[in-house]
Protein backbone atom coordinates (compact mmCIF):
# COMPACT_ATOMS: atom_id res chain seq x y z
CA UNK A 1 0.00 0.00 0.00
CA UNK A 2 1.05 3.57 -0.74
CA UNK A 3 -0.74 6.82 0.01
CA UNK A 4 0.16 9.94 -1.93
CA UNK A 5 -1.00 13.43 -0.98
CA UNK A 6 0.24 16.60 -2.64
CA UNK A 7 0.88 19.61 -0.46
CA UNK A 8 -2.27 21.35 -1.70
CA UNK A 9 -4.30 18.47 -0.27
CA UNK A 10 -4.86 16.57 -3.52
CA UNK A 11 -4.90 12.81 -2.98
CA UNK A 12 -3.39 11.02 -5.95
CA UNK A 13 -2.71 7.53 -7.27
CA UNK A 14 0.96 6.73 -6.52
CA UNK A 15 1.10 4.31 -9.46
CA UNK A 16 0.30 7.07 -11.95
CA UNK A 17 2.85 9.60 -13.22
CA UNK A 18 2.62 13.03 -11.59
CA UNK A 19 6.03 14.55 -12.23
CA UNK A 20 7.18 16.29 -15.39
CA UNK A 21 10.44 15.15 -16.92
CA UNK A 22 11.84 18.67 -16.53
CA UNK A 23 11.22 18.85 -12.78
CA UNK A 24 14.53 19.96 -11.26
CA UNK A 25 14.10 17.33 -8.55
CA UNK A 26 14.56 14.74 -11.29
CA UNK A 27 16.90 16.59 -13.64
CA UNK A 28 19.30 17.89 -10.98
CA UNK A 29 18.44 16.13 -7.69
CA UNK A 30 17.57 19.70 -6.77
CA UNK A 31 15.21 19.38 -3.84
CA UNK A 32 15.00 18.08 -0.29
CA UNK A 33 13.20 15.40 1.65
CA UNK A 34 12.42 13.94 5.06
CA UNK A 35 11.45 10.44 6.13
CA UNK A 36 9.18 10.34 9.16
CA UNK A 37 8.22 7.22 11.07
CA UNK A 38 4.49 6.85 11.66
CA UNK A 39 3.72 4.45 14.52
CA UNK A 40 0.23 3.70 15.81
CA UNK A 41 -1.16 6.66 13.91
CA UNK A 42 1.34 9.14 15.32
CA UNK A 43 4.22 10.80 13.46
CA UNK A 44 7.41 10.54 15.48
CA UNK A 45 9.58 13.67 15.78
CA UNK A 46 7.43 15.58 13.28
CA UNK A 47 8.50 18.96 14.73
CA UNK A 48 12.26 18.22 14.36
CA UNK A 49 11.62 16.77 10.87
CA UNK A 50 9.81 19.91 9.74
CA UNK A 51 12.48 22.11 11.32
CA UNK A 52 15.12 20.16 9.43
CA UNK A 53 13.09 20.46 6.20
CA UNK A 54 13.08 24.23 6.68
CA UNK A 55 16.81 24.20 7.38
CA UNK A 56 17.53 22.13 4.24
CA UNK A 57 15.30 24.49 2.22
CA UNK A 58 17.29 27.45 3.47
CA UNK A 59 20.61 25.78 2.59
CA UNK A 60 19.32 25.12 -0.95
CA UNK A 61 17.70 28.58 -1.31
CA UNK A 62 14.29 27.00 -1.75
CA UNK A 63 11.16 28.89 -0.67
CA UNK A 64 10.43 28.42 3.01
CA UNK A 65 8.23 25.32 3.41
CA UNK A 66 4.63 25.96 4.48
CA UNK A 67 4.76 24.29 7.87
CA UNK A 68 1.02 24.01 8.37
CA UNK A 69 0.44 22.61 4.92
CA UNK A 70 3.02 19.87 5.59
CA UNK A 71 1.30 19.07 8.86
CA UNK A 72 -2.04 18.83 7.09
CA UNK A 73 -0.63 16.58 4.36
CA UNK A 74 0.94 14.39 7.05
CA UNK A 75 -2.40 14.05 8.82
CA UNK A 76 -4.12 13.21 5.54
CA UNK A 77 -1.69 10.40 4.74
CA UNK A 78 -2.05 8.99 8.26
CA UNK A 79 -5.83 9.12 7.99
CA UNK A 80 -5.83 7.20 4.71
CA UNK A 81 -3.24 4.61 5.73
CA UNK A 82 -4.76 1.18 6.30
CA UNK A 83 -1.89 -1.26 6.11
CA UNK A 84 -0.58 -1.85 9.60
CA UNK A 85 0.54 0.14 12.60
CA UNK A 86 3.89 1.33 11.21
CA UNK A 87 4.92 3.00 7.98
CA UNK A 88 7.34 5.53 6.55
CA UNK A 89 6.19 8.97 5.46
CA UNK A 90 8.31 10.66 2.81
CA UNK A 91 8.09 14.43 2.49
CA UNK A 92 9.52 15.61 -0.84
CA UNK A 93 10.04 19.20 -1.92
CA UNK A 94 11.74 20.09 -5.21
CA UNK A 95 12.56 23.36 -6.98
CA UNK A 96 9.84 22.57 -9.52
CA UNK A 97 9.93 22.81 -13.28
CA UNK A 98 13.11 23.98 -15.00
CA UNK A 99 13.23 27.26 -16.89
CA UNK A 100 9.95 28.62 -15.53
CA UNK A 101 10.58 31.71 -13.35
CA UNK A 102 7.01 31.35 -12.03
CA UNK A 103 7.55 27.67 -11.18
CA UNK A 104 6.34 26.55 -7.81
CA UNK A 105 8.07 23.82 -5.89
CA UNK A 106 6.82 20.29 -6.36
CA UNK A 107 5.72 19.09 -2.93
CA UNK A 108 4.14 15.87 -1.77
CA UNK A 109 3.86 13.49 1.17
CA UNK A 110 3.79 9.75 0.58
CA UNK A 111 3.20 6.87 2.97
CA UNK A 112 5.08 3.71 2.07
CA UNK A 113 5.60 0.38 3.83
CA UNK A 114 8.85 -0.16 5.69
CA UNK A 115 11.18 -2.55 3.92
CA UNK A 116 11.22 -6.07 5.47
CA UNK A 117 15.03 -5.94 5.55
CA UNK A 118 14.92 -2.90 7.79
CA UNK A 119 12.44 -4.54 10.18
CA UNK A 120 14.69 -7.62 10.38
CA UNK A 121 17.78 -5.47 10.95
CA UNK A 122 16.10 -3.83 13.95
CA UNK A 123 15.96 -7.27 15.58
CA UNK A 124 19.10 -8.94 14.26
CA UNK A 125 21.48 -6.03 13.76
CA UNK A 126 23.68 -5.49 10.72
CA UNK A 127 27.19 -5.95 9.44
CA UNK A 128 28.62 -2.58 8.39
CA UNK A 129 31.72 -1.39 6.60
CA UNK A 130 33.58 1.88 7.02
CA UNK A 131 33.94 3.90 3.81
CA UNK A 132 35.86 7.11 3.21
CA UNK A 133 33.46 10.02 2.64
CA UNK A 134 36.39 12.05 1.36
CA UNK A 135 35.77 15.19 3.36
CA UNK A 136 37.66 16.86 6.15
CA UNK A 137 35.90 17.93 9.36
CA UNK A 138 36.25 21.67 8.64
CA UNK A 139 34.71 21.49 5.18
CA UNK A 140 31.03 21.99 6.05
CA UNK A 141 31.68 25.35 7.66
CA UNK A 142 34.22 26.41 5.02
CA UNK A 143 32.13 25.52 1.96
CA UNK A 144 28.36 25.75 2.53
CA UNK A 145 27.73 25.32 -1.22
CA UNK A 146 28.65 21.65 -0.78
CA UNK A 147 25.35 21.31 1.13
CA UNK A 148 26.83 19.06 3.82
CA UNK A 149 24.15 18.63 6.45
CA UNK A 150 21.30 19.36 4.04
CA UNK A 151 18.97 16.46 3.27
CA UNK A 152 18.91 16.96 -0.48
CA UNK A 153 17.49 14.63 -3.11
CA UNK A 154 21.03 14.21 -4.48
CA UNK A 155 21.61 10.87 -2.79
CA UNK A 156 23.36 8.95 -5.59
CA UNK A 157 26.55 8.72 -3.51
CA UNK A 158 24.65 7.41 -0.49
CA UNK A 159 23.06 4.75 -2.70
CA UNK A 160 26.42 3.86 -4.28
CA UNK A 161 27.98 3.45 -0.83
CA UNK A 162 25.17 1.08 0.15
CA UNK A 163 25.88 -1.01 -2.95
CA UNK A 164 29.59 -1.04 -2.07
CA UNK A 165 28.63 -2.39 1.37
CA UNK A 166 26.62 -5.18 -0.28
CA UNK A 167 29.60 -6.03 -2.47
CA UNK A 168 31.64 -6.41 0.71
CA UNK A 169 29.01 -8.69 2.26
CA UNK A 170 27.60 -6.05 4.61
CA UNK A 171 24.23 -4.36 4.94
CA UNK A 172 25.25 -0.85 5.93
CA UNK A 173 27.96 1.79 5.91
CA UNK A 174 29.67 4.06 8.41
CA UNK A 175 31.29 6.93 6.55
CA UNK A 176 34.59 8.30 7.86
CA UNK A 177 36.28 11.64 7.21
CA UNK A 178 39.71 11.99 5.65
CA UNK A 179 41.27 12.33 9.12
CA UNK A 180 39.70 9.08 10.38
CA UNK A 181 36.77 10.57 12.28
CA UNK A 182 33.39 8.90 12.37
CA UNK A 183 30.94 10.77 10.12
CA UNK A 184 27.46 9.27 9.54
CA UNK A 185 25.77 6.43 7.67
CA UNK A 186 24.34 7.03 4.17
CA UNK A 187 20.85 7.22 5.71
CA UNK A 188 21.54 7.13 9.46
CA UNK A 189 23.48 8.61 12.36
CA UNK A 190 26.11 6.73 14.31
CA UNK A 191 25.75 6.29 18.08
CA UNK A 192 28.44 4.69 20.22
CA UNK A 193 27.85 3.34 23.75
CA UNK A 194 30.67 3.16 26.25
CA UNK A 195 30.66 3.02 30.03
CA UNK A 196 27.00 4.02 30.36
CA UNK A 197 27.55 7.03 28.04
CA UNK A 198 26.23 7.55 24.51
CA UNK A 199 28.33 9.43 21.95
CA UNK A 200 27.56 10.85 18.53
CA UNK A 201 29.72 13.19 16.41
CA UNK A 202 28.86 16.90 16.22
CA UNK A 203 26.74 18.16 13.32
CA UNK A 204 29.30 20.93 12.73
CA UNK A 205 31.51 18.50 10.78
CA UNK A 206 28.79 18.28 8.12
CA UNK A 207 26.58 15.54 9.51
CA UNK A 208 22.83 15.68 9.02
CA UNK A 209 21.58 16.19 12.58
CA UNK A 210 19.55 13.08 13.46
CA UNK A 211 15.95 13.31 14.67
CA UNK A 212 16.05 9.69 15.90
CA UNK A 213 19.53 10.09 17.38
CA UNK A 214 18.18 13.01 19.42
CA UNK A 215 15.17 10.96 20.54
CA UNK A 216 17.41 8.05 21.56
CA UNK A 217 19.56 10.46 23.58
CA UNK A 218 16.47 11.90 25.32
CA UNK A 219 15.18 8.43 26.18
CA UNK A 220 18.58 7.21 27.33
CA UNK A 221 19.08 10.27 29.55
CA UNK A 222 15.81 9.53 31.33
CA UNK A 223 17.01 5.95 31.79
CA UNK A 224 20.14 7.15 33.54
CA UNK A 225 22.64 7.33 30.67
CA UNK A 226 25.05 10.17 30.02
CA UNK A 227 25.16 11.57 26.49
CA UNK A 228 27.97 13.40 24.73
CA UNK A 229 28.22 15.03 21.35
CA UNK A 230 31.88 14.93 20.41
CA UNK A 231 34.18 13.76 17.63
CA UNK A 232 34.77 10.01 17.48
CA UNK A 233 37.69 8.18 15.95
CA UNK A 234 36.98 5.18 13.73
CA UNK A 235 39.10 3.20 16.19
CA UNK A 236 36.59 4.09 18.96
CA UNK A 237 34.05 1.89 17.19
CA UNK A 238 36.04 -1.28 17.84
CA UNK A 239 36.51 -0.50 21.52
CA UNK A 240 32.87 0.44 22.18
CA UNK A 241 30.33 -1.47 24.27
CA UNK A 242 27.95 -0.97 21.39
CA UNK A 243 27.76 0.70 17.96
CA UNK A 244 24.34 1.66 16.61
CA UNK A 245 22.79 3.25 13.55
CA UNK A 246 19.80 5.50 14.20
CA UNK A 247 17.22 6.64 11.66
CA UNK A 248 13.46 7.07 11.54
CA UNK A 249 12.73 3.73 9.92
CA UNK A 250 15.64 1.81 11.47
CA UNK A 251 14.95 3.18 14.94
CA UNK A 252 18.09 2.00 16.73
CA UNK A 253 19.84 -0.81 14.87
CA UNK A 254 22.95 -2.39 16.32
CA UNK A 255 26.09 -3.01 14.29
CA UNK A 256 27.32 -6.51 15.17
CA UNK A 257 30.15 -6.69 12.64
CA UNK A 258 32.40 -3.95 11.35
CA UNK A 259 34.65 -4.39 8.32
CA UNK A 260 34.27 -8.17 8.71
CA UNK A 261 35.28 -8.17 12.37
CA UNK A 262 32.77 -9.17 15.02
CA UNK A 263 32.16 -6.37 17.56
CA UNK A 264 31.47 -6.85 21.27
CA UNK A 265 27.98 -8.32 21.84
CA UNK A 266 25.71 -5.32 22.44
CA UNK A 267 22.38 -7.19 22.51
CA UNK A 268 21.63 -6.31 26.13
CA UNK A 269 22.55 -2.63 25.72
CA UNK A 270 20.55 -2.53 22.51
CA UNK A 271 17.45 -3.90 24.26
CA UNK A 272 17.84 -1.32 27.01
CA UNK A 273 18.32 1.59 24.62
CA UNK A 274 15.56 0.46 22.25
CA UNK A 275 13.18 0.40 25.23
CA UNK A 276 14.40 3.84 26.32
CA UNK A 277 13.74 5.14 22.78
CA UNK A 278 10.20 3.66 22.70
CA UNK A 279 9.48 5.14 26.12
CA UNK A 280 9.83 8.60 24.58
CA UNK A 281 6.56 7.91 22.76
CA UNK A 282 4.75 5.46 25.01
CA UNK A 283 5.65 7.05 28.32
CA UNK A 284 6.37 3.54 29.64
CA UNK B 1 9.69 24.38 -27.88
CA UNK B 2 10.51 21.04 -26.32
CA UNK B 3 10.57 17.59 -27.87
CA UNK B 4 10.31 14.53 -25.64
CA UNK B 5 10.96 10.99 -26.82
CA UNK B 6 11.16 7.99 -24.52
CA UNK B 7 13.77 5.38 -25.24
CA UNK B 8 11.16 2.95 -26.59
CA UNK B 9 10.36 5.50 -29.31
CA UNK B 10 7.22 6.93 -27.72
CA UNK B 11 6.85 10.64 -28.44
CA UNK B 12 5.25 12.43 -25.49
CA UNK B 13 4.04 15.85 -24.42
CA UNK B 14 6.79 17.44 -22.26
CA UNK B 15 4.21 19.56 -20.43
CA UNK B 16 2.40 16.48 -19.10
CA UNK B 17 3.60 14.41 -16.15
CA UNK B 18 5.34 11.15 -17.12
CA UNK B 19 7.36 10.28 -14.03
CA UNK B 20 6.09 8.53 -10.92
CA UNK B 21 6.84 10.16 -7.59
CA UNK B 22 8.72 7.02 -6.49
CA UNK B 23 11.12 7.07 -9.42
CA UNK B 24 14.59 6.76 -7.90
CA UNK B 25 15.80 9.47 -10.26
CA UNK B 26 13.57 11.85 -8.33
CA UNK B 27 13.69 10.29 -4.85
CA UNK B 28 17.47 9.73 -4.75
CA UNK B 29 18.99 11.57 -7.71
CA UNK B 30 19.82 8.00 -8.68
CA UNK B 31 20.41 8.13 -12.39
CA UNK B 32 22.65 9.67 -15.02
CA UNK B 33 22.41 12.11 -17.90
CA UNK B 34 24.15 13.66 -20.85
CA UNK B 35 23.64 17.00 -22.60
CA UNK B 36 24.41 16.91 -26.33
CA UNK B 37 24.60 19.95 -28.58
CA UNK B 38 22.56 19.62 -31.77
CA UNK B 39 23.73 22.07 -34.43
CA UNK B 40 22.29 22.22 -37.95
CA UNK B 41 20.56 18.90 -37.46
CA UNK B 42 23.72 17.09 -36.33
CA UNK B 43 24.51 15.88 -32.81
CA UNK B 44 28.01 16.94 -31.82
CA UNK B 45 30.24 14.33 -30.14
CA UNK B 46 27.38 11.82 -29.91
CA UNK B 47 29.78 8.86 -29.78
CA UNK B 48 31.78 10.31 -26.80
CA UNK B 49 28.50 11.29 -25.09
CA UNK B 50 27.11 7.75 -25.41
CA UNK B 51 30.43 6.26 -24.29
CA UNK B 52 30.35 8.51 -21.23
CA UNK B 53 26.72 7.56 -20.57
CA UNK B 54 27.80 3.91 -20.56
CA UNK B 55 30.70 4.72 -18.24
CA UNK B 56 28.45 6.62 -15.82
CA UNK B 57 25.98 3.70 -15.91
CA UNK B 58 28.75 1.30 -15.01
CA UNK B 59 29.90 3.51 -12.11
CA UNK B 60 26.33 3.59 -10.75
CA UNK B 61 25.70 -0.15 -11.41
CA UNK B 62 22.88 0.71 -13.80
CA UNK B 63 22.03 -1.66 -16.65
CA UNK B 64 24.19 -1.04 -19.71
CA UNK B 65 22.48 1.60 -21.87
CA UNK B 66 21.08 0.37 -25.20
CA UNK B 67 23.35 2.31 -27.50
CA UNK B 68 21.27 1.88 -30.65
CA UNK B 69 18.05 2.85 -28.86
CA UNK B 70 19.69 6.08 -27.65
CA UNK B 71 20.86 6.82 -31.18
CA UNK B 72 17.33 6.23 -32.51
CA UNK B 73 15.78 8.48 -29.84
CA UNK B 74 18.35 11.16 -30.66
CA UNK B 75 17.46 10.97 -34.35
CA UNK B 76 13.74 11.16 -33.50
CA UNK B 77 14.16 14.32 -31.43
CA UNK B 78 16.26 15.94 -34.16
CA UNK B 79 13.67 15.04 -36.78
CA UNK B 80 10.87 16.62 -34.74
CA UNK B 81 12.76 19.75 -33.75
CA UNK B 82 11.52 22.85 -35.55
CA UNK B 83 12.76 25.81 -33.49
CA UNK B 84 16.05 26.92 -34.90
CA UNK B 85 19.40 25.47 -35.89
CA UNK B 86 20.77 24.86 -32.39
CA UNK B 87 19.37 23.13 -29.32
CA UNK B 88 20.35 21.01 -26.35
CA UNK B 89 19.48 17.33 -26.19
CA UNK B 90 19.22 15.87 -22.70
CA UNK B 91 19.56 12.12 -22.32
CA UNK B 92 18.25 10.97 -18.93
CA UNK B 93 18.49 7.43 -17.52
CA UNK B 94 17.32 6.63 -13.98
CA UNK B 95 17.18 3.44 -11.91
CA UNK B 96 13.38 3.43 -12.30
CA UNK B 97 10.70 2.88 -9.71
CA UNK B 98 11.72 2.22 -6.11
CA UNK B 99 11.05 -1.14 -4.48
CA UNK B 100 10.22 -2.97 -7.69
CA UNK B 101 12.83 -5.67 -8.42
CA UNK B 102 11.47 -5.91 -11.98
CA UNK B 103 11.71 -2.15 -12.43
CA UNK B 104 13.19 -0.98 -15.69
CA UNK B 105 15.21 2.22 -15.92
CA UNK B 106 13.33 5.36 -16.85
CA UNK B 107 14.93 6.63 -20.06
CA UNK B 108 14.15 9.56 -22.27
CA UNK B 109 15.68 12.08 -24.64
CA UNK B 110 14.48 15.67 -24.64
CA UNK B 111 15.29 18.56 -26.92
CA UNK B 112 15.22 21.95 -25.22
CA UNK B 113 16.20 25.47 -26.29
CA UNK B 114 19.57 26.79 -25.18
CA UNK B 115 19.28 29.44 -22.49
CA UNK B 116 19.76 32.99 -23.78
CA UNK B 117 22.28 33.64 -21.00
CA UNK B 118 24.48 30.84 -22.31
CA UNK B 119 24.34 32.17 -25.88
CA UNK B 120 25.31 35.61 -24.63
CA UNK B 121 28.16 34.20 -22.54
CA UNK B 122 29.62 32.52 -25.64
CA UNK B 123 30.06 36.00 -27.11
CA UNK B 124 30.77 38.13 -24.07
CA UNK B 125 32.52 35.74 -21.70
CA UNK B 126 31.77 35.35 -18.00
CA UNK B 127 32.98 36.37 -14.59
CA UNK B 128 33.78 33.26 -12.54
CA UNK B 129 34.67 32.55 -8.94
CA UNK B 130 36.83 29.77 -7.57
CA UNK B 131 35.07 27.59 -4.98
CA UNK B 132 36.50 24.78 -2.88
CA UNK B 133 35.09 21.42 -4.02
CA UNK B 134 36.41 19.89 -0.81
CA UNK B 135 38.13 16.89 -2.31
CA UNK B 136 41.73 15.87 -2.63
CA UNK B 137 43.20 14.78 -5.98
CA UNK B 138 43.62 11.12 -4.88
CA UNK B 139 40.04 10.69 -3.75
CA UNK B 140 38.41 9.56 -7.00
CA UNK B 141 40.71 6.55 -7.31
CA UNK B 142 40.57 5.75 -3.59
CA UNK B 143 36.79 5.96 -3.17
CA UNK B 144 34.84 5.05 -6.31
CA UNK B 145 31.57 5.02 -4.31
CA UNK B 146 31.77 8.82 -4.28
CA UNK B 147 31.00 8.67 -8.03
CA UNK B 148 33.49 11.41 -8.91
CA UNK B 149 33.66 11.53 -12.70
CA UNK B 150 30.16 10.04 -13.14
CA UNK B 151 27.53 12.34 -14.61
CA UNK B 152 24.80 11.51 -12.11
CA UNK B 153 21.49 13.28 -11.61
CA UNK B 154 22.66 14.25 -8.10
CA UNK B 155 23.62 17.77 -9.10
CA UNK B 156 22.30 19.75 -6.12
CA UNK B 157 25.85 20.78 -5.17
CA UNK B 158 26.60 21.94 -8.70
CA UNK B 159 23.43 24.04 -8.65
CA UNK B 160 24.23 25.44 -5.17
CA UNK B 161 27.71 26.43 -6.35
CA UNK B 162 26.17 28.29 -9.29
CA UNK B 163 23.90 30.19 -6.89
CA UNK B 164 26.93 31.03 -4.73
CA UNK B 165 28.60 32.47 -7.85
CA UNK B 166 25.54 34.66 -8.48
CA UNK B 167 25.68 35.86 -4.88
CA UNK B 168 29.27 36.92 -5.54
CA UNK B 169 28.26 38.74 -8.71
CA UNK B 170 29.62 36.13 -11.10
CA UNK B 171 28.06 33.83 -13.68
CA UNK B 172 30.12 30.71 -13.26
CA UNK B 173 32.38 28.66 -11.00
CA UNK B 174 35.78 27.00 -11.20
CA UNK B 175 36.01 24.35 -8.50
CA UNK B 176 39.36 23.78 -6.82
CA UNK B 177 40.60 20.79 -4.83
CA UNK B 178 41.71 20.98 -1.20
CA UNK B 179 45.35 21.28 -2.33
CA UNK B 180 44.64 24.23 -4.63
CA UNK B 181 44.46 22.37 -7.93
CA UNK B 182 42.02 23.36 -10.64
CA UNK B 183 39.16 20.87 -10.80
CA UNK B 184 36.20 21.60 -13.11
CA UNK B 185 33.17 23.84 -13.39
CA UNK B 186 29.78 22.68 -12.06
CA UNK B 187 28.74 21.94 -15.64
CA UNK B 188 31.93 22.50 -17.63
CA UNK B 189 35.62 21.71 -18.01
CA UNK B 190 38.39 24.24 -17.53
CA UNK B 191 40.86 24.91 -20.33
CA UNK B 192 43.85 27.20 -19.92
CA UNK B 193 45.83 28.70 -22.81
CA UNK B 194 49.46 29.65 -22.39
CA UNK B 195 52.24 30.10 -24.93
CA UNK B 196 50.31 28.45 -27.79
CA UNK B 197 49.54 25.43 -25.57
CA UNK B 198 46.17 24.36 -24.15
CA UNK B 199 46.00 22.71 -20.74
CA UNK B 200 43.26 20.86 -18.90
CA UNK B 201 43.53 18.82 -15.68
CA UNK B 202 43.57 15.01 -15.86
CA UNK B 203 40.29 13.10 -15.39
CA UNK B 204 42.04 10.84 -12.85
CA UNK B 205 41.54 13.48 -10.14
CA UNK B 206 37.78 12.92 -10.39
CA UNK B 207 36.86 15.28 -13.21
CA UNK B 208 34.11 14.37 -15.64
CA UNK B 209 36.05 13.95 -18.90
CA UNK B 210 34.78 16.63 -21.26
CA UNK B 211 33.44 15.85 -24.70
CA UNK B 212 33.70 19.50 -25.77
CA UNK B 213 37.10 19.93 -24.15
CA UNK B 214 38.33 16.98 -26.24
CA UNK B 215 36.81 18.50 -29.40
CA UNK B 216 38.45 21.87 -28.67
CA UNK B 217 41.79 20.12 -28.22
CA UNK B 218 41.39 18.26 -31.53
CA UNK B 219 40.50 21.47 -33.35
CA UNK B 220 43.32 23.42 -31.72
CA UNK B 221 45.88 20.74 -32.55
CA UNK B 222 44.94 20.95 -36.23
CA UNK B 223 45.36 24.72 -35.96
CA UNK B 224 48.91 24.31 -34.68
CA UNK B 225 48.42 24.40 -30.92
CA UNK B 226 50.03 22.03 -28.46
CA UNK B 227 47.75 20.39 -25.90
CA UNK B 228 48.61 19.01 -22.50
CA UNK B 229 46.59 17.16 -19.91
CA UNK B 230 48.23 17.89 -16.60
CA UNK B 231 47.41 19.23 -13.13
CA UNK B 232 46.92 22.99 -12.93
CA UNK B 233 47.29 25.23 -9.90
CA UNK B 234 44.62 27.80 -9.21
CA UNK B 235 47.41 30.39 -9.46
CA UNK B 236 48.05 29.27 -13.07
CA UNK B 237 44.67 30.77 -13.97
CA UNK B 238 45.82 34.29 -13.22
CA UNK B 239 49.00 33.95 -15.27
CA UNK B 240 47.32 32.38 -18.30
CA UNK B 241 46.88 33.94 -21.73
CA UNK B 242 43.29 32.73 -21.54
CA UNK B 243 40.96 30.76 -19.26
CA UNK B 244 37.96 29.02 -20.81
CA UNK B 245 35.01 26.89 -19.79
CA UNK B 246 34.02 24.18 -22.21
CA UNK B 247 30.70 22.33 -22.36
CA UNK B 248 28.29 21.16 -25.02
CA UNK B 249 25.94 24.15 -24.77
CA UNK B 250 28.62 26.71 -23.80
CA UNK B 251 30.99 25.55 -26.53
CA UNK B 252 34.12 27.48 -25.50
CA UNK B 253 33.29 30.40 -23.22
CA UNK B 254 36.05 32.68 -22.01
CA UNK B 255 36.44 33.74 -18.39
CA UNK B 256 37.18 37.47 -18.39
CA UNK B 257 37.11 37.99 -14.61
CA UNK B 258 38.13 35.62 -11.84
CA UNK B 259 37.22 36.23 -8.20
CA UNK B 260 36.54 39.86 -9.06
CA UNK B 261 39.89 40.40 -10.77
CA UNK B 262 40.06 41.11 -14.47
CA UNK B 263 42.09 38.49 -16.35
CA UNK B 264 44.30 39.15 -19.37
CA UNK B 265 42.20 39.93 -22.46
CA UNK B 266 41.78 36.64 -24.29
CA UNK B 267 39.33 37.80 -26.97
CA UNK B 268 41.70 37.12 -29.85
CA UNK B 269 42.72 33.70 -28.58
CA UNK B 270 39.07 32.91 -27.91
CA UNK B 271 38.12 33.77 -31.49
CA UNK B 272 40.93 31.59 -32.81
CA UNK B 273 40.02 28.61 -30.59
CA UNK B 274 36.28 28.97 -31.17
CA UNK B 275 36.94 28.83 -34.91
CA UNK B 276 39.20 25.81 -34.42
CA UNK B 277 36.42 24.09 -32.47
CA UNK B 278 33.80 24.83 -35.15
CA UNK B 279 36.17 23.55 -37.83
CA UNK B 280 35.94 20.09 -36.25
CA UNK B 281 32.34 19.97 -37.54
CA UNK B 282 32.37 22.21 -40.57
CA UNK B 283 35.70 21.10 -41.95
CA UNK B 284 36.45 24.78 -42.62
Amino acid sequence: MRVLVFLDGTVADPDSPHIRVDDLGLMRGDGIFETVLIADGQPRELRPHLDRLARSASMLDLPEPDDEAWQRATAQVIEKWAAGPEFALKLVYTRGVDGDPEAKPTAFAMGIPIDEKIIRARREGVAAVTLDRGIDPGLAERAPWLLLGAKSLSYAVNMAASREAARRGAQDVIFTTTDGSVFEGPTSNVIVARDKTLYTPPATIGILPGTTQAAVFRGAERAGWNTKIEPLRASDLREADGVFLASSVRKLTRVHTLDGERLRDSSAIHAELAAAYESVYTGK
Side-chain angles (χ1 to χ4, degrees), chain A residues 29 33 150-161 184-188 208:
Chain A
F33 75 105
K151 201 167 171 75
S152 87
L153 294 172
S154 286
Y155 256 42
V157 164
N158 307 54
M159 301 297 104
E184 63 188 1
T187 60
S188 66
L208 187 74

Side-chain angles (χ1 to χ4, degrees), chain A residues 126-189:
Chain A
V126 292
V129 292
T130 53
L131 292 180
D132 186 353
R133 186 62 185 75
I135 63 174
D136 62 86
L139 187 61
E141 296 193 340
R142 195 167 82 233
W145 49 87
L146 299 178
L147 304 180
L148 293 165
K151 201 167 171 75
S152 87
L153 294 172
S154 286
Y155 256 42
V157 164
N158 307 54
M159 301 297 104
S162 299
R163 290 192 299 275
E164 178 67 19
R167 263 191 288 273
R168 296 183 187 195
Q171 295 91 52
D172 219 320
V173 172
I174 294 178
F175 281 129
T176 55
T177 60
T178 48
D179 74 339
S181 298
V182 173
F183 196 62
E184 63 188 1
T187 60
S188 66
N189 291 93

Side-chain angles (χ1 to χ4, degrees), chain A residues 210-223:
Chain A
T211 55
T212 305
Q213 169 269 313
V216 168
F217 273 36
R218 289 205 310 280
E221 282 164 14
R222 286 193 217 158

Side-chain angles (χ1 to χ4, degrees), chain A residues 27-47:
Chain A
M27 278 292 197
R28 299 295 198 181
D30 196 0
I32 55 177
F33 75 105
E34 286 290 327
T35 307
V36 183
L37 178 65
I38 314 292
D40 302 318
Q42 295 299 319
R44 291 194 169 177
E45 306 300 319
L46 184 59
R47 186 70 264 141

Side-chain angles (χ1 to χ4, degrees), chain A residues 258-269:
Chain A
L258 189 65
D259 294 330
E261 203 179 299
R262 198 83 190 171
L263 297 179
R264 203 168 294 173
D265 180 6
S266 64
S267 310
I269 295 175

Side-chain angles (χ1 to χ4, degrees), chain A residues 93-106:
Chain A
Y93 188 60
T94 88
R95 201 174 302 277
V97 165
D98 191 17
D100 178 1
E102 305 284 296
K104 284 188 180 170
T106 301

